Structures are given as structure tokens and as C-alpha cells.
Amino acid sequence: MLQTRTISVRCALSTELELYDVVQVQVTSKEDKWAIICLNCITQIAALDAGLKVREVPVFGKPFGMDMFIYGIIDEVDFNEKKEPVILELKTRANSTRLPSTYQQRKNELQVMLYMKLFNDLLFEKINLEEFATSLGLAKDKKLSEGPVTFATQNCTSITTFGDVLKALLTRIQCSNVSTVKFAVIEYCLQENCHVIQRKKISFDEKWLELQLKRLLPYWKGERPTRGVEIEEAWKCQRCDFADVCAWRTMKEEECRKSNRPSKKC
């Protein structure tokens, strides 16, 4: 049995301040942990159906049916003037009022587009909850400990096993009237005082996202070697723990030496 530990759960949304009370829930198994994550999803979907802003929204799934389970937490989901859901991702800058490099911005755009895909797949039943449980090795007939069961009861949900939680989540999803997320906003701000540097609106580009994931998936699965960064991002090598054994860096240094050698005269 896993060692008992405490995780934080956000519940009881305030209709006026749109803030959460933080409740400590004791969990003793991985089924307990994921039960809390799913119960959190249920309460947040209900809040979205009521037109409320929610924060730290868990999303998960296998985008585009790829053989890779991905789990993430969205900073915030709110509604625009057209009552459409919009994802907000906050990025802080330590000591610069300038935006990060183009490559870093594209990385952030990839992240929020992936969140959009996972969010939409979850809310529109494009995720197989049975497959989700199997992928993580979760037993549906596993009885949950007192912590998740009590938390669920306090939020008007009756559960005994992890399978009960999956059924409750599916029912909540099927009853939801939240529309597809088509836009996200990345907000860059100073870490020191939260001054907003810029807000960038990102439109969902599903084809671009699928292309990027197909490029990255073989690396994530260990099926292809690493590739060096673009020259504009070479400053990262100074902070890399593997710089001394990096074959790409060695190759580039050799290319540089060859290009700087004086040519022989005939």
C-alpha cells in the first residue's frame, strides 16, 4: 500500500469572488489520487456550466489517438464577451520586460494548444475513460479510502469504488453545455510585481498541433535521439547538465573549427 499523503483539492466555488476553499484530503492509493482529480473535474465542469471562472483545471488524455497519455493543469478557464470559454496561461518573466524569444513563445503556444485539445476531447467525450484507467493501471473495482468518499459526499456525489468516480465524471460531461475552446490567451508578466507585459491571443490550430506532436512523440518515447537547439537558442547550452557529453554540441564545435581554419594556398 502506498504511504498516506495529503493532496490539496479546490472546491466550494464562491459565486461572488470566484475563489476556492482549499480542502485537505487524505489519499492512500493511486486510485484515491485520481479519484480526487476526477472529482475536481466534476466540480469545475459544473462551475463552468454556471458561467463561472475556474482555476487549475486538470486535463488528460491521448490526443489524436497517439500512444502517449498526457496530463496537465490549465491555469484558468474564463469566458469572453461572447460567452465562449477561453484558456488563460500565465508566464512570468524574472527580470525582463521583453517577451521571450520566438522559439520560447512557440513552445508556450504548443502547450496551450495541447491544453485546448485535451479540454475539448474531455468535454466532448473523445477520451475513452475505460482506456484511461487501463493506461494508468487503475483498478475500477478498487474501493476508495475514507478521504475521497467523504469529499465526494460533501459535493453531492455518492461513490464507493474508482469505477463509480469514472461513471460520475462521464455523467457530468454528458450533461455539460460548455462549448468548444477555440482561443487561449498567454499572459506574460513580471514575477516581482505581476505587471502585465503583454497578452497574446492564440487561435487553436489543430493541424499544426498534430504535426508538432508527431514530431515530438518519437523523442518522448525514446525512439529517436535528441536534436540540438536552433542557433538562436544556443545560450541554453550554458545551463544544460549534459553539455559536457552532448554529441550535437561537439559536432557544432568541430564544424566551427573547420570553418575558421585558414585555407591552404596552392
Side-chain angles (χ1 to χ4, degrees), residues 35-52:
I36 292 299
I37 292 172
C38 292
L39 289 168
N40 202 18
C41 276
I42 292 171
T43 59
Q44 289 174 321
I45 292 171
L48 289 171
D49 280 328
L52 299 178

Side-chain angles (χ1 to χ4, degrees), residues 113-114 116-117 120 181-183 202-206 209:
M113 283 195 204
L114 181 54
M116 281 189 267
K117 175 65 176 172
N120 290 337
V181 171
K182 299 178 182 177
F183 304 102
I202 308 298
S203 298
F204 185 44
D205 187 340
E206 192 167 33
L209 175 63

Side-chain angles (χ1 to χ4, degrees), residues 121-137:
D121 284 358
L122 184 63
L123 279 184
F124 291 89
E125 299 182 64
K126 292 183 180 180
I127 176 176
N128 186 319
L129 293 178
E130 299 283 337
E131 186 181 74
F132 148 65
T134 303
S135 297
L136 295 180

Side-chain angles (χ1 to χ4, degrees), residues 219-235:
Y219 170 69
W220 290 341
K221 296 176 68 177
E223 296 174 353
R224 72 162 173 83
T226 57
R227 295 171 185 166
V229 296
E230 299 294 336
I231 193 64
E232 291 85 352
E233 296 286 283
W235 59 268

Side-chain angles (χ1 to χ4, degrees), residues 155-167:
N155 286 273
C156 304
T157 303
S158 177
I159 59 170
T160 302
T161 66
F162 181 68
D164 294 337
V165 179
L166 293 182
K167 291 178 183 177

Side-chain angles (χ1 to χ4, degrees), residues 21 28 45 72 111 115 134 149 185 198 212 229 231 246 253 263:
D21 292 332
T28 60
I45 292 171
Q111 178 186 354
Y115 283 167
T134 303
V149 172
V185 173
Q198 186 172 323
Q212 297 304 312
V229 296
I231 193 64
C246 178
E253 287 176 349
S263 57

